[in-house]
Amino acid sequence: WNNAYLEGTSPYTKVVVFKKGIKPVWEDPDNKKGGRYVIRGSTMEETLAMYLVIVCRMMTGRLHGDYNDLVGAVLQAKGTDQLWIQVWNKDSTENDQISRFKISLNKLLNRTVAYQVHDQSLKMQKTRLSKEELTTAEKKPEEAEAPAVDQQEVDDYVKNFLQL
Protein backbone atom coordinates (compact mmCIF):
# COMPACT_ATOMS: atom_id res chain seq x y z
CA TRP A 1 0.00 0.00 0.00
CA ASN A 2 2.98 2.31 0.43
CA ASN A 3 3.23 2.46 -3.36
CA ALA A 4 -0.45 3.27 -3.95
CA TYR A 5 -1.40 6.71 -5.14
CA LEU A 6 -4.41 8.64 -6.32
CA GLU A 7 -4.28 10.94 -9.30
CA GLY A 8 -6.68 13.05 -11.29
CA THR A 9 -9.29 15.65 -10.56
CA SER A 10 -13.03 15.22 -10.52
CA PRO A 11 -14.69 13.68 -12.46
CA TYR A 12 -11.54 11.71 -13.45
CA THR A 13 -9.85 9.55 -10.82
CA LYS A 14 -7.19 6.87 -10.96
CA VAL A 15 -6.04 4.63 -8.10
CA VAL A 16 -2.77 2.84 -8.83
CA VAL A 17 -1.06 0.01 -6.89
CA PHE A 18 2.11 -1.45 -8.42
CA LYS A 19 4.96 -3.57 -7.14
CA LYS A 20 7.84 -1.65 -5.62
CA GLY A 21 10.24 -0.38 -8.27
CA ILE A 22 7.79 -0.77 -11.18
CA LYS A 23 6.30 2.40 -12.65
CA PRO A 24 2.70 2.26 -13.95
CA VAL A 25 3.73 3.21 -17.51
CA TRP A 26 4.19 1.11 -20.63
CA GLU A 27 7.77 2.28 -20.99
CA ASP A 28 8.91 0.69 -17.71
CA PRO A 29 11.19 -2.29 -18.52
CA ASP A 30 8.89 -4.64 -16.56
CA ASN A 31 5.86 -3.50 -18.59
CA LYS A 32 7.30 -3.12 -22.11
CA LYS A 33 6.49 -6.67 -23.23
CA GLY A 34 3.32 -6.96 -21.19
CA GLY A 35 -0.29 -6.06 -21.31
CA ARG A 36 -3.35 -5.57 -19.15
CA TYR A 37 -6.53 -7.37 -18.28
CA VAL A 38 -9.47 -4.95 -18.46
CA ILE A 39 -12.68 -5.31 -16.47
CA ARG A 40 -15.54 -2.84 -16.78
CA GLY A 41 -17.56 -1.93 -13.69
CA SER A 42 -21.16 -0.78 -13.55
CA THR A 43 -21.23 1.28 -10.32
CA MET A 44 -18.46 2.94 -8.36
CA GLU A 45 -19.22 0.87 -5.25
CA GLU A 46 -19.10 -2.40 -7.17
CA THR A 47 -15.96 -1.43 -9.09
CA LEU A 48 -14.16 -0.37 -5.92
CA ALA A 49 -15.12 -3.64 -4.21
CA MET A 50 -13.80 -5.68 -7.16
CA TYR A 51 -10.60 -3.60 -7.19
CA LEU A 52 -9.99 -4.17 -3.48
CA VAL A 53 -10.49 -7.93 -3.91
CA ILE A 54 -7.99 -7.96 -6.77
CA VAL A 55 -5.38 -5.86 -4.96
CA CYS A 56 -5.66 -7.83 -1.69
CA ARG A 57 -5.34 -11.13 -3.56
CA MET A 58 -2.39 -9.79 -5.55
CA MET A 59 -0.65 -8.68 -2.35
CA THR A 60 -1.11 -12.11 -0.76
CA GLY A 61 -0.25 -14.08 -3.90
CA ARG A 62 -3.73 -15.61 -4.12
CA LEU A 63 -4.84 -14.06 -7.40
CA HIS A 64 -2.79 -15.85 -10.00
CA GLY A 65 -0.67 -18.96 -10.44
CA ASP A 66 2.39 -16.96 -11.54
CA TYR A 67 2.68 -14.18 -8.99
CA ASN A 68 5.82 -12.78 -10.66
CA ASP A 69 3.94 -12.07 -13.90
CA LEU A 70 1.52 -9.56 -12.33
CA VAL A 71 2.94 -6.09 -11.72
CA GLY A 72 0.03 -3.90 -10.64
CA ALA A 73 -3.59 -2.86 -10.71
CA VAL A 74 -5.35 0.35 -11.75
CA LEU A 75 -8.85 1.60 -10.93
CA GLN A 76 -9.93 4.23 -13.43
CA ALA A 77 -13.10 6.30 -13.13
CA LYS A 78 -14.24 8.92 -15.62
CA GLY A 79 -17.42 10.21 -14.09
CA THR A 80 -19.88 7.63 -12.81
CA ASP A 81 -20.45 5.79 -16.09
CA GLN A 82 -16.92 4.94 -17.24
CA LEU A 83 -15.36 2.61 -14.67
CA TRP A 84 -12.49 0.21 -15.38
CA ILE A 85 -10.09 -2.03 -13.55
CA GLN A 86 -6.81 -2.97 -15.19
CA VAL A 87 -4.48 -5.71 -13.98
CA TRP A 88 -1.07 -5.34 -15.61
CA ASN A 89 1.28 -8.22 -16.39
CA LYS A 90 4.85 -8.56 -17.69
CA ASP A 91 4.53 -11.04 -20.55
CA SER A 92 1.91 -10.76 -23.29
CA THR A 93 3.27 -13.78 -25.20
CA GLU A 94 2.09 -16.40 -22.69
CA ASN A 95 -1.28 -17.03 -24.34
CA ASP A 96 -2.20 -20.08 -22.22
CA GLN A 97 -1.44 -18.23 -19.00
CA ILE A 98 -3.41 -15.19 -20.19
CA SER A 99 -6.42 -17.36 -21.07
CA ARG A 100 -6.34 -19.15 -17.70
CA PHE A 101 -6.10 -15.86 -15.81
CA LYS A 102 -8.98 -14.33 -17.80
CA ILE A 103 -11.14 -17.34 -16.86
CA SER A 104 -10.03 -17.05 -13.23
CA LEU A 105 -10.91 -13.34 -13.09
CA ASN A 106 -14.22 -14.00 -14.81
CA LYS A 107 -15.16 -16.59 -12.17
CA LEU A 108 -13.97 -14.39 -9.31
CA LEU A 109 -15.75 -11.22 -10.45
CA ASN A 110 -18.52 -12.60 -12.68
CA ARG A 111 -17.42 -10.16 -15.40
CA THR A 112 -16.18 -10.34 -18.96
CA VAL A 113 -12.43 -9.79 -19.03
CA ALA A 114 -10.57 -8.40 -22.05
CA TYR A 115 -6.82 -8.43 -22.60
CA GLN A 116 -4.82 -5.68 -24.33
CA VAL A 117 -1.16 -5.88 -25.29
CA HIS A 118 0.52 -2.59 -24.31
CA ASP A 119 2.42 -2.29 -27.57
CA GLN A 120 -0.73 -2.72 -29.69
CA SER A 121 -2.71 -0.32 -27.48
CA LEU A 122 0.01 2.29 -27.87
CA LYS A 123 0.01 1.91 -31.67
CA MET A 124 -3.79 2.24 -31.79
CA GLN A 125 -3.65 5.33 -29.57
CA LYS A 126 -0.99 6.96 -31.78
CA THR A 127 -3.06 6.19 -34.89
CA ARG A 128 -6.19 7.70 -33.31
CA LEU A 129 -4.28 10.83 -32.23
CA SER A 130 -2.77 11.21 -35.72
CA LYS A 131 -6.26 11.01 -37.27
CA GLU A 132 -7.56 13.62 -34.81
CA GLU A 133 -4.65 15.96 -35.61
CA LEU A 134 -5.23 15.46 -39.35
CA THR A 135 -8.94 16.19 -38.97
CA THR A 136 -8.17 19.36 -36.99
CA ALA A 137 -5.60 20.51 -39.57
CA GLU A 138 -8.06 19.93 -42.44
CA LYS A 139 -10.71 22.22 -40.96
CA LYS A 140 -11.40 25.46 -42.74
CA PRO A 141 -10.03 28.53 -40.96
CA GLU A 142 -13.53 29.71 -40.01
CA GLU A 143 -14.29 26.28 -38.53
CA ALA A 144 -11.04 25.98 -36.63
CA GLU A 145 -12.01 28.34 -33.88
CA ALA A 146 -15.40 29.88 -33.27
CA PRO A 147 -15.39 33.51 -32.16
CA ALA A 148 -16.15 34.13 -28.52
CA VAL A 149 -19.71 35.26 -27.78
CA ASP A 150 -20.31 37.93 -25.19
CA GLN A 151 -22.76 36.61 -22.58
CA GLN A 152 -24.33 40.05 -22.15
CA GLU A 153 -25.18 40.16 -25.86
CA VAL A 154 -26.92 36.81 -25.58
CA ASP A 155 -28.87 37.91 -22.50
CA ASP A 156 -29.94 41.16 -24.21
CA TYR A 157 -31.03 39.27 -27.33
CA VAL A 158 -33.15 36.85 -25.28
CA LYS A 159 -34.77 39.71 -23.32
CA ASN A 160 -35.59 41.59 -26.55
CA PHE A 161 -36.97 38.45 -28.16
CA LEU A 162 -39.23 37.73 -25.17
CA GLN A 163 -40.59 41.28 -25.20
CA LEU A 164 -41.78 40.99 -28.82
Side-chain angles (χ1 to χ4, degrees), residues 43-79:
T43 66
M44 188 52 152
E45 293 80 15
E46 175 198 56
T47 308
L48 182 57
M50 288 189 299
Y51 181 72
L52 291 174
V53 166
I54 288 171
V55 170
C56 288
R57 285 184 172 229
M58 281 178 69
M59 290 171 61
T60 60
R62 294 183 51 230
L63 185 61
H64 190 10
D66 184 3
Y67 175 75
N68 292 322
D69 187 51
L70 299 180
V71 294
V74 177
L75 169 71
Q76 217 171 339
K78 294 179 181 180

Side-chain angles (χ1 to χ4, degrees), residues 125-144:
Q125 184 180 20
K126 285 181 179 179
T127 302
R128 189 183 78 241
L129 291 174
S130 295
K131 286 180 182 177
E132 288 173 3
E133 289 171 0
L134 182 62
T135 303
T136 304
E138 290 174 345
K139 285 184 179 178
K140 295 175 186 172
E142 63 272 8
E143 292 177 329

Side-chain angles (χ1 to χ4, degrees), residues 67-93:
Y67 175 75
N68 292 322
D69 187 51
L70 299 180
V71 294
V74 177
L75 169 71
Q76 217 171 339
K78 294 179 181 180
T80 57
D81 60 337
Q82 297 181 33
L83 308 164
W84 295 277
I85 297 171
Q86 302 169 9
V87 179
W88 289 35
N89 77 321
K90 287 182 182 183
D91 191 354
S92 64
T93 63

Side-chain angles (χ1 to χ4, degrees), residues 5 14 22 27 30 36 46 52 62 71 108 115-116 129-130 134 155 162-163:
Y5 67 88
K14 195 180 214 182
I22 299 177
E27 298 84 5
D30 285 311
R36 60 186 171 188
E46 175 198 56
L52 291 174
R62 294 183 51 230
V71 294
L108 176 67
Y115 185 79
Q116 299 174 339
L129 291 174
S130 295
L134 182 62
D155 292 344
L162 292 174
Q163 288 176 356

